[in-house]
Each structure stands twice: as structure tokens, then as C-alpha cells.
Amino acid sequence: MEKLKLGIQKSGRLFDDSMKLLKECGIDISNGINKLKADASNFPLEVYFLRDDDIPQYVEDAVADIGFVGENVVAEKNKKVTAVRGLGFGKCRLSVAVPKGVQYPNSSWLQGKKIATSYPVVVANFLQQQGIQAEIHEISGSVEIAPGIGLADAIVDLVSSGSTLFMNGLQEVETIFTSEAALIKNQQLTPEKEAILQKLLFRIQAVKSAKNNKYILLNAPNHSLDTIVSILPGLKSPTVVPLAQEGWSSVHSMLNENEFWDIIEQLKAAGAEGILVLPIEKLIL
Ligand code: ATP
Ligand code: ZN
């Protein structure tokens, strides 16, 4: 039987989350891991451990059928691959940073300046969109030291917390690209491989929907049941079960992470008590 070949970063910021996602999808690749690849024991998948920068090229060339890689790398490499979906990890932003104390009103400040970056393609696109001409210096690592050694006036680099910039006397002034890890695929998958990919995507979706949702149980006085039920979004409608105590019911439903605190407050105001919130492991909608 054919196997789908997945390329993931061999070490670095995306490795742990990539492996974790496979595990949460019930795919076991704990056996037979060597430096280059691993075979899943219970799913038609082979995992290749690669440098993240090479993943788009390998997927274009069908060395790997699919890959998990940062959207920033996909944009930079500009290969013929299809981005299928975001994976919800590896979130970061590509930002302009300038030395502390520099006034940066907007991107026109970059006109005529020297910019150091590891992402020359994304930066060139940005400058072109803004109608700005600037000199781009491509450097592959430690971009944040470039202004300090007089190599550049500004940098464009990946930021998550901003502490690296801070330690190097820089301030983040503008975000030009936001990124997360994405699943990309080769544009000519065989129908058999496409079918395996659909199975994998189904599992990823179940894992991701579960993460964004919580299971909620609460006790409600019967006279406020209508209000409480109307506050709860739920999958279809909430489950309502009478409690042993006269005049009370137990209500079970699901809440989205984003609206969570808002809704909890409304529920309390409507008379809900004993609110219990549980994580969901998988969710098939
Ligand atoms: P490799 O040796 O595989 O080339 P790398 O040094 O290019 O590794 P990492 O620093 O491990 O790569 O980052 C991999 C990806 O993780 C980035 O391309 C980006 O999509 C994402 N990422 C998330 N947060 C950050 C961050 N704060 N800094 C850099 N990358 C981040
Ligand atoms: Zn890299």
C-alpha cells in the first residue's frame, strides 16, 4: 500500500509541535525513528526529518508529498506547492525593528535605508507594495546584531516575544507578515495519496476543533433555563437533565475558547451554579 511522505523540521522550533500533532492524531511513529525518517506503525505515513528551509522544495519535487512548515518559509521560497491549512502552532511575526530611540512614523522611514534580513523575498514584496526603495542585505543568522555593527539601519526578523530585539537595543516598529506552521502539499498527488491526506486532515481538524472548544456542565434553576440555554451556543442544542433536587437541572454544552469568559459571566448572571469546564480530546463536527 502506498504511503504518504511527510516532511517536518528535524530540530528547531517546529519539531516538538509537529510530533505532538501527529501523536494527537493517533499516529504512532515512536518505533524505528532514525536520523532521516520514521515509519508510522498504524497509519500509511512516512515522516522525513528535514531542514525547514528545504521543505517547500522537497514538496515541489515530490521527495515529500506534504510538509509542515512555517508560512514565512513558504512565502520566502515561493515554490509550486499548495498551502492546505494552518496548523495553529509556530506562530510568529516578521517585523521591522530599528535601534531604540529612532522615531519610525511609518514604513516610508525605510526609504533609502539598509535593511538586514533572512527573508529577502518577503521584504522585497513588502517594499514594492509600499512603493519604497531600500537596500536589502541578506544574512542567514543573528540578524539582530546587524544595526549594532553598522551593517544596516533596520532589520526585518521573526519575532515572538520581542526579548531578543530588546537585548540587542532594538525596538519592533511594524509587522509585515504574520505566520504559523502550515500543511503544504505537492500539486500532483496520486488519488491514493490524496485519500490518505484527507484522512490525516480529518484527524487534524478533529484535534484542532477540540482544542478550541471546552465542554461545560452547570446547574441551573428551572426558571432560568430558557435564558441559560439561549446564552449557550452548543453544537445543536444543549443537553438538559433534571437534577435530583426539585426545581434544578444540569445543562451540558460546548463553548468556544474565544467567547469563553464572556459567556461564563452571562451564565453566572443568569443564575447558573457549579459551573464545570472540561477539555475535549477530539471533536468530530
Ligand atoms: P533549520 O535548522 O531547520 O533551518 P531555523 O533556524 O531556520 O531551523 P527555527 O528557528 O527553528 O528555524 O524556526 C523554524 C520556524 O519556526 C520559523 O521559520 C517560523 O515559522 C517559526 N517560529 C516561531 N516563532 C519563532 C521565533 N520567535 N523566531 C523564529 N522563528 C519562529
Ligand atoms: Zn531554517
Side-chain angles (χ1 to χ4, degrees):
M1 187 178 166
E2 222 172 353
K3 285 186 181 178
L4 193 68
K5 292 177 284 183
L6 161 68
I8 67 170
Q9 192 187 21
K10 67 172 180 293
S11 62
R13 292 174 196 268
L14 302 181
F15 176 78
D16 288 345
D17 286 326
S18 299
M19 295 295 278
K20 189 166 132 233
L21 177 59
L22 293 175
K23 190 168 180 220
E24 287 168 339
C25 288
I27 297 173
D28 177 20
I29 51 168
S30 54
N31 273 336
I33 295 191
N34 66 35
K35 275 211 158 78
L36 179 65
K37 70 179 189 104
D39 250 319
S41 61
N42 56 358
F43 196 82
L45 187 80
E46 245 170 12
V47 183
Y48 286 76
F49 305 110
L50 307 169
R51 269 201 68 201
D52 70 336
D53 311 66
D54 297 335
I55 292 175
Q57 181 73 62
Y58 281 135
V59 170
E60 179 181 308
D61 295 342
V63 174
D65 301 306
I66 63 170
F68 293 171
V69 65
E71 288 168 342
N72 54 306
V73 174
V74 180
E76 184 63 28
K77 301 295 173 186
N78 206 11
K79 299 292 172 192
K80 290 190 199 68
V81 298
T82 302
V84 180
R85 60 163 295 156
L87 296 173
F89 60 84
K91 291 194 175 156
C92 59
R93 52 192 191 272
L94 204 49
S95 288
V96 180
V98 298
K100 262 179 232 153
V102 167
Q103 293 294 317
Y104 181 98
N106 54 54
S107 49
S108 67
W109 183 90
L110 294 168
Q111 178 65 38
K113 298 282 199 316
K114 282 189 210 164
I115 306 169
T117 186
S118 307
Y119 294 90
V121 173
V122 177
V123 173
N125 286 342
F126 170 75
L127 293 175
Q128 201 195 0
Q129 272 166 26
Q130 306 283 315
I132 294 165
Q133 314 231 309
E135 204 179 305
I136 299 174
H137 278 258
E138 180 178 356
I139 36 184
S140 55
S142 303
V143 172
E144 63 285 350
I145 65 168
I149 58 174
L151 188 69
D153 305 300
I155 66 166
V156 174
D157 205 7
L158 287 175
V159 186
S160 49
S161 72
S163 59
T164 310
L165 294 180
F166 185 80
M167 285 189 304
N168 285 280
L170 299 172
Q171 50 174 344
E172 181 181 1
V173 288
E174 185 171 12
T175 296
I176 71 167
F177 192 92
T178 56
S179 179
E180 63 174 304
L183 188 155
I184 58 171
K185 69 167 182 177
N186 176 273
Q187 293 180 341
Q188 273 112 31
L189 288 187
T190 62
E192 197 173 356
K193 286 188 171 174
E194 186 64 48
I196 303 171
L197 173 58
Q198 288 312 315
K199 274 191 184 171
L200 177 64
L201 286 169
F202 177 80
R203 294 190 186 191
I204 292 175
Q205 186 55 42
V207 169
K208 293 297 167 193
S209 329
K211 277 221 175 92
N212 292 332
N213 288 283
K214 302 273 179 252
Y215 193 75
I216 177 170
L217 299 100
L218 58 85
N219 294 333
N222 287 345
H223 61 82
S224 45
L225 262 182
D226 285 348
T227 320
I228 285 175
V229 167
S230 71
I231 295 169
L232 287 168
L235 269 181
K236 285 215 163 60
S237 68
T239 310
V240 179
V241 202
L243 288 184
Q245 188 182 344
E246 191 75 23
W248 283 78
S249 298
S250 167
V251 180
H252 303 200
S253 187
M254 216 175 63
L255 274 189
N256 190 284
E257 190 85 282
N258 301 321
E259 45 192 15
F260 183 79
W261 290 110
D262 250 12
I263 289 186
I264 295 287
E265 273 171 28
Q266 293 176 41
L267 290 171
K268 279 184 68 183
E273 287 181 13
I275 302 174
L276 187 63
V277 178
L278 304 171
I280 298 171
E281 195 182 280
K282 306 271 187 318
L283 175 62
I284 290 81
L285 291 168

